[in-house]
Amino acid sequence: MNKKAIALGSILTLSMIVTACSGGNGNSASTPDPTQSSGGATQATEKPAEPEKPTEITIMLPLNISETPPDTIKKELEKLTNTKLTYQFFPADTYEEKLNASFATGSLPQVTYLKNQATFLQMKGAIRDGQFWEIGPYLAEFPNLNKLKPEILNNTKVDGKLYSLYIGRPLARQGIIYRKDWADNLGLGAPTTIDELYAMIEKFTNGDPDKNGQNDTLGLTDRNDLIYGAFKTLSAYFGTPNNWGEKDGGLQPEFVFDQYVATMDFMKKIRDNKLMNVDFAATSKTDQINLFTSGKAGVYIGSLQDVNSLHKDLVKNVPDAVIEVQNVVTGPNGENASWAIPGYNNVVLFPKGAIKDEEQLKKVLAFFDKMMTPEVANLMYWGIEGTHYNVQDGKAKASDNAELTEREVKGYKDSVIGEPETNGMLEGFHDLAVRVHAEQLIVESEKVAVHDPTAPLDSATFTEKGTQLQELIKDATYKYIYGDLDRAGYDKAIEDWKGRGGAQMIEEFSAAFKQ
């Protein structure tokens, strides 16, 4: 019995050793009790780390659609970025008023988008006064934000310091969108010179391009915007500098150049001959677009990327309509040119009144760092895969339900930081041939892009009075085109501009340019 007991004990001991060494597979070994030490003493159970609390962020931005988007995208965004987001959407048409009112009352939220480059220039005074966080020193801590293009960041600096993140855009995307079916009816090709462009506009008005036997068409449709409407694009064709240009050893504003006057004369000729909507200075963008998409007007000068929406709405009214694009035409000087933006169309600032300390700032910047990952950038720009877009040939193809995408995604799309080269989001897939052509022309336009030399420069007088004084020139330009002001009156307006602070701007920008 003793020998049997000893043998049995040996077998049991060996079995226990084998079991203990096996690591356990769920069948032959039991899980060790983590509360027991090797000596059998009880230890405290280690609690799993609590998930990090979502960062609460309030964001104010302009809304370019009629209704506030639902939370479809926001909910997914919060999951991906571990945030609790409050979006304050305000209509783009009145956004500047809301922005100024919120600033005056000290109620700007942690993240404040401006409206465009003009509102950024207006805000430079407040930036200098220390109302917003300088973020440049922190970007190196965030690997994705650190990918933003230095040359574009440089264009948004104030006194050499960086306070903003930018929403990237193609440098030169302006051009001509026209009715190709009308051109074909009249035996016209794509305009390649400024004279051919005028001829197209004239024949689209007087040549019965739709062949209905009635005098009911317009050559050009334009709006109350000298920058993003037709004027600035035409001005580049004529050889005008972009906002400011080199002259007499320094910088001078664009409107003192003869090419600017030639552009006004060109527009005046079109208007005097009633080849466009003669009340264009009082025409909204919506009404401008309606003239084209209703089938009444044949030439639209603006962003070539507008071609999708113009085509979609035009064929609803004129099913057999065909449109085509042209990026640049040769000007009177025999050269091609396309005016360029500074690589962004808007920026976002971080008010010190809403972000109290460096720790909070870094949490907000961490959200934007996550926004610049492909997964988040695609969500905000394209929407949810399978609902708002699908991937085709490695690109994002928008859903056929354009209304759903616009309602749920557009509000967020306009706030994505960077561009595909820096945030990794998908390029767009286009099956509309004219849009494919437009994208090709946009790339080509960069080769002849005319840049604003003052984009990275500062002028204290320009910051203080630039916007106000620009209204004086804007008014004089419209009056000249309308025939309410002759050349002498226009020149007097320039002298008035100089006397009110313009001459000081010239000195300051010229000095900065020479440094």
Side-chain angles (χ1 to χ4, degrees), residues 437-457:
H437 189 200
E439 292 297 327
Q440 293 169 343
L441 293 182
I442 288 170
V443 174
E444 290 181 13
S445 293
E446 292 192 14
K447 300 174 185 176
V448 294
V450 179
H451 299 275
D452 178 1
T454 67
L457 304 180

Side-chain angles (χ1 to χ4, degrees), residues 106-126:
S107 57
L108 290 176
Q110 297 145 293
V111 174
T112 301
Y113 282 84
L114 303 187
K115 182 181 178 183
N116 49 35
Q117 296 169 38
T119 53
F120 175 53
L121 295 176
Q122 293 171 30
M123 202 62 73
K124 280 191 174 182

Side-chain angles (χ1 to χ4, degrees), residues 303-348:
S303 171
L304 293 179
Q305 293 178 327
D306 289 342
V307 72
N308 279 70
S309 57
L310 292 177
H311 176 270
K312 176 176 67 71
D313 292 334
L314 173 61
V315 295
K316 290 178 182 177
N317 298 309
V318 189
D320 57 351
V322 180
I323 58 179
E324 189 50 273
V325 290
Q326 176 68 294
N327 56 338
V328 296
V329 298
T330 304
N333 60 1
E335 297 180 0
N336 293 334
S338 178
W339 76 273
I341 64 173
Y344 69 94
N345 75 331
N346 200 4
V347 299
V348 56

Side-chain angles (χ1 to χ4, degrees), residues 278-501:
V278 295
D279 61 343
F280 76 97
T283 301
S284 68
K285 183 176 182 179
T286 299
D287 290 338
Q288 176 203 18
I289 289 173
N290 285 341
L291 284 171
F292 189 89
T293 57
S294 65
K296 182 174 178 60
V299 175
Y300 173 100
I301 300 177
S303 171
L304 293 179
Q305 293 178 327
D306 289 342
V307 72
N308 279 70
S309 57
L310 292 177
H311 176 270
K312 176 176 67 71
D313 292 334
L314 173 61
V315 295
K316 290 178 182 177
N317 298 309
V318 189
D320 57 351
V322 180
I323 58 179
E324 189 50 273
V325 290
Q326 176 68 294
N327 56 338
V328 296
V329 298
T330 304
N333 60 1
E335 297 180 0
N336 293 334
S338 178
W339 76 273
I341 64 173
Y344 69 94
N345 75 331
N346 200 4
V347 299
V348 56
L349 294 171
F350 307 94
K352 287 185 176 179
I355 301 177
K356 302 300 182 183
D357 54 38
E358 186 180 73
E359 182 182 0
Q360 287 186 24
L361 176 64
K362 287 186 177 182
K363 287 183 178 180
V364 173
L365 291 177
F367 164 69
F368 281 94
D369 193 63
K370 292 174 183 174
M371 188 192 293
M372 284 192 63
T373 60
E375 185 178 19
V376 179
N378 283 331
L379 171 70
M380 296 184 70
Y381 194 89
W382 296 111
I384 299 171
E385 185 177 357
T387 300
H388 305 107
Y389 77 98
N390 290 294
V391 178
Q392 184 168 331
D393 297 337
K395 297 181 178 183
K397 182 180 180 182
S399 162
D400 292 335
N401 193 340
E403 288 75 15
L404 175 69
T405 300
E406 179 166 297
R407 184 171 66 252
E408 296 187 345
V409 183
K410 174 66 174 172
Y412 302 94
K413 177 178 184 175
D414 294 335
S415 66
V416 177
I417 299 300
E419 52 274 294
E421 307 98 285
T422 56
N423 60 31
M425 74 180 183
L426 294 167
E427 297 274 7
F429 175 90
H430 304 293
D431 49 11
L432 182 64
V434 68
R435 177 58 187 270
V436 174
H437 189 200
E439 292 297 327
Q440 293 169 343
L441 293 182
I442 288 170
V443 174
E444 290 181 13
S445 293
E446 292 192 14
K447 300 174 185 176
V448 294
V450 179
H451 299 275
D452 178 1
T454 67
L457 304 180
D458 284 300
S459 158
T461 307
F462 183 83
T463 300
E464 179 186 358
K465 301 179 178 180
T467 303
Q468 173 190 349
L469 290 183
Q470 187 60 31
E471 287 299 311
L472 191 157
I473 299 300
K474 178 181 175 181
D475 184 57
T477 300
Y478 280 132
K479 285 184 175 179
Y480 185 96
I481 294 171
Y482 271 52
D484 298 331
L485 205 63
D486 60 12
R487 180 63 188 267
Y490 176 76
D491 289 341
K492 184 178 182 300
I494 292 177
E495 291 305 311
D496 190 16
W497 176 88
K498 289 180 178 178
R500 295 188 187 187

Side-chain angles (χ1 to χ4, degrees), residues 197-264:
L197 176 60
Y198 181 86
M200 173 177 280
I201 292 171
E202 190 276 327
K203 290 181 179 179
F204 275 7
T205 305
N206 299 320
D208 191 21
D210 56 1
K211 300 300 181 184
N212 68 351
Q214 300 179 36
N215 185 20
D216 58 355
T217 57
L218 281 176
L220 175 68
T221 175
D222 197 23
R223 65 179 186 267
N224 57 351
D225 189 337
L226 291 176
I227 299 176
Y228 296 103
F231 188 84
K232 187 80 167 173
T233 300
L234 291 171
S235 188
Y237 297 161
F238 275 90
T240 310
N242 187 353
N243 295 332
W244 291 74
E246 292 185 59
K247 187 176 185 179
D248 300 331
L251 293 180
Q252 294 284 336
E254 62 182 352
F255 46 82
V256 306
F257 287 79
D258 291 339
Q259 294 91 332
Y260 188 97
V261 177
T263 309
M264 291 194 297

